[in-house]
Amino acid sequence: MKILAIDIGTGTQDIIYYDSNKEIENSIKLVLPSPHILIGQKIKKTKNNIYFDGEIMGGGKLKDRIIEHIKKGYKVAMEEKCGKTIRDNLNQVESYGIEIVYNGDIKDYSDYTKITLKDIDIDKLSNFIREYDLDFDFDHIAIAVQDHGYNENMGDRDFRFEKIKEKLTEPIKPEEFGFIDNIPSYYTRMKSIENILNNDTKLEIKNKPLIMDTKFASICGMCYDRISEKLNSYIVMDIGNGHTTAASIENGKIQGVFEHHTSNLTKKSIERYVEKLANGTLTNEEIYEDHGHGAYIINPIEKIEKVIVAGPRRELIEETKLDYYHGNPGGDVMMTGTIGLIKSLEYKLENK
């Protein structure tokens, strides 16, 4: 079985082309800049008015790049759907000086430079990989993006964690966080990925894709590290550029989770939150009042045998007194999320 797995983060998009008939170390691997960074460079280089079409994608610094462009005296127009990349509330988007085009009639913008927003370009990627594998073909595709979800009556950090809690009605394997053909409509970024794969690629997609949140893809991948596979009660922690997510694992299942903003964490708070996550005393209020997303614990775990850590800011763990290990499933710390995607897909196929 051949799987193309893509984990799209804030800084990089990590890609693995995996063939189950080969050792994973012999897979083609790519670490490329995140799509929003590439589009931001396009905006910076454009000396003209810009018209955006496409899908909802990870915004990153796109809002800042667009506002800088407007301040230079240029006009910016965005079609309704892709405008939600900036903010779900389009009135807020318009308040930045961006024109929202509701009917998608581009003839009034024929002299604008057109830029298409989307998190993935499978055709471009497949053409690149074919340069190194003349027989490039895949049976399944799995993609991870971070999606807060959208509810007009609730803030995004509240809504994101509310949906995490709903999933954890009982201890479950991290693989359960992958979706195949049942993505809820409120996960607008995941739905956009699904739409691109269904309608905006020349490449034939043989089977329905697996789409997963980046944080839970990483959590899943860390559980398949050569060290964590020998453990029973441990913590996995993804320390990202923007968010940090930690889960307590026992008997192969998530027993509790907390999510915070990395910039708000200190070595003392990391130690405190991890220890309280393990012993079951960490509360949602404690994390939320510290400007994080929240915490939810089903059961305490017996002990912390090890803290398995991943993510671009994982060096923060080195300042603590915690017994940690830098996760590198498949022998590559950058592939933690893609390994999680592969394992989630395999699990879903085995249990469908």
Side-chain angles (χ1 to χ4, degrees):
M1 182 168 63
K2 294 181 180 180
I3 301 171
L4 181 62
I6 307 171
D7 179 18
I8 303 171
T10 302
T12 63
Q13 51 179 320
D14 309 321
I15 303 161
I16 187 169
Y17 174 44
Y18 169 68
D19 185 342
S20 59
N21 292 318
K22 299 178 181 179
E23 299 82 0
I24 197 164
E25 287 81 2
N26 287 320
S27 300
I28 293 175
K29 301 175 184 177
L30 302 171
V31 178
L32 303 173
S34 293
H36 75 87
I37 295 175
L38 300 173
I39 292 172
Q41 289 178 342
K42 283 185 182 180
I43 295 170
K44 194 171 183 179
K45 292 178 180 178
T46 300
K47 301 186 185 305
N48 190 22
N49 301 329
I50 299 177
Y51 181 93
F52 291 96
D53 65 2
E55 295 281 345
I56 298 170
M57 65 172 291
K61 298 291 184 181
L62 284 184
K63 184 188 80 171
D64 295 341
R65 299 291 85 79
I66 288 172
I67 291 174
E68 288 170 4
H69 199 68
I70 291 171
K71 287 181 177 178
K72 291 177 183 177
Y74 298 111
K75 296 178 182 179
V76 172
M78 304 186 80
E79 291 186 2
E80 179 181 4
K81 188 172 187 179
C82 69
K84 293 182 178 181
T85 295
I86 308 304
R87 297 291 295 179
D88 286 301
N89 186 326
L90 292 178
N91 290 329
Q92 286 183 288
V93 179
E94 290 177 315
S95 73
Y96 301 135
I98 300 168
E99 180 186 356
I100 298 298
V101 181
Y102 288 93
N103 57 11
D105 189 355
I106 197 171
K107 70 177 185 292
D108 295 331
Y109 307 90
S110 58
D111 58 341
Y112 283 48
T113 297
K114 190 177 87 166
I115 295 177
T116 299
L117 299 188
K118 56 182 178 180
D119 270 315
I120 54 169
D121 189 335
I122 297 299
D123 296 323
K124 182 177 180 180
L125 179 60
S126 65
N127 289 336
F128 180 81
I129 294 178
R130 279 196 177 94
E131 295 292 321
Y132 297 89
D133 189 327
L134 296 178
D135 297 322
F136 174 71
D137 188 19
F138 56 86
D139 303 296
H140 296 275
I141 185 168
I143 298 175
V145 293
Q146 187 171 37
D147 196 332
H148 283 74
Y150 175 64
N151 183 317
E152 63 180 5
N153 299 314
M154 191 180 294
D156 59 2
R157 69 177 175 135
D158 301 78
F159 189 65
R160 173 176 169 79
F161 207 77
E162 184 69 24
K163 292 304 173 184
I164 291 173
K165 287 166 60 179
E166 284 182 13
K167 189 81 173 175
L168 291 170
T169 55
E170 61 182 6
I172 61 172
K173 294 176 71 66
E175 290 91 327
E176 293 281 0
F177 278 85
F179 294 104
I180 296 180
D181 199 33
N182 59 343
I183 303 170
S185 60
Y186 48 76
Y187 285 134
T188 55
R189 189 178 176 193
M190 291 188 189
K191 294 295 286 186
S192 291
I193 294 284
E194 186 179 55
N195 185 55
I196 290 169
L197 295 176
N198 288 338
N199 304 303
D200 190 26
T201 177
K202 297 175 183 176
L203 199 66
E204 180 186 0
I205 307 295
K206 298 177 183 177
N207 295 293
K208 293 186 180 299
L210 178 133
I211 302 177
M212 193 173 190
D213 186 86
T214 53
K215 290 302 182 183
F216 287 93
S218 180
I219 285 169
C220 184
M222 281 187 277
C223 292
Y224 287 92
D225 179 89
R226 63 183 181 85
I227 296 296
S228 55
E229 285 186 316
K230 300 175 183 177
L231 307 175
N232 186 58
S233 299
Y234 57 99
I235 302 290
V236 290
M237 193 171 192
D238 181 288
I239 306 178
N241 291 308
H243 297 117
T244 291
T245 307
S248 53
I249 307 291
E250 193 163 80
N251 300 321
K253 296 182 177 181
I254 296 175
Q255 306 293 331
V257 63
F258 79 79
E259 190 165 81
H260 211 309
H261 294 104
T262 304
S263 59
N264 289 93
L265 291 171
T266 66
K267 67 177 183 179
K268 291 295 185 184
S269 64
I270 290 174
E271 289 174 7
R272 183 173 68 253
Y273 293 150
V274 166
E275 289 168 357
K276 295 182 77 171
L277 174 64
N279 64 33
T281 61
L282 184 63
T283 66
N284 183 70
E285 291 73 23
E286 187 172 358
I287 296 294
Y288 194 83
E289 289 173 5
D290 193 33
H291 308 291
H293 284 177
Y296 181 68
I297 298 171
I298 305 168
N299 300 309
I301 60 175
E302 184 180 356
K303 60 181 177 179
I304 304 176
E305 295 176 336
K306 189 78 71 175
V307 177
I308 310 295
V309 64
R313 296 194 62 192
R314 61 190 178 278
E315 76 281 352
L316 290 178
I317 200 77
E318 297 172 4
E319 301 174 7
T320 73
K321 297 177 182 177
L322 296 167
D323 182 12
Y324 66 87
Y325 172 79
H326 291 289
N328 57 101
D332 191 335
V333 71
M334 294 301 293
M335 292 296 135
T336 303
T338 59
I339 299 299
L341 285 167
I342 291 167
K343 292 301 182 180
S344 181
L345 176 62
E346 290 175 340
Y347 174 82
K348 291 284 186 175
L349 293 176
E350 289 171 4
N351 292 276
K352 67 178 180 179

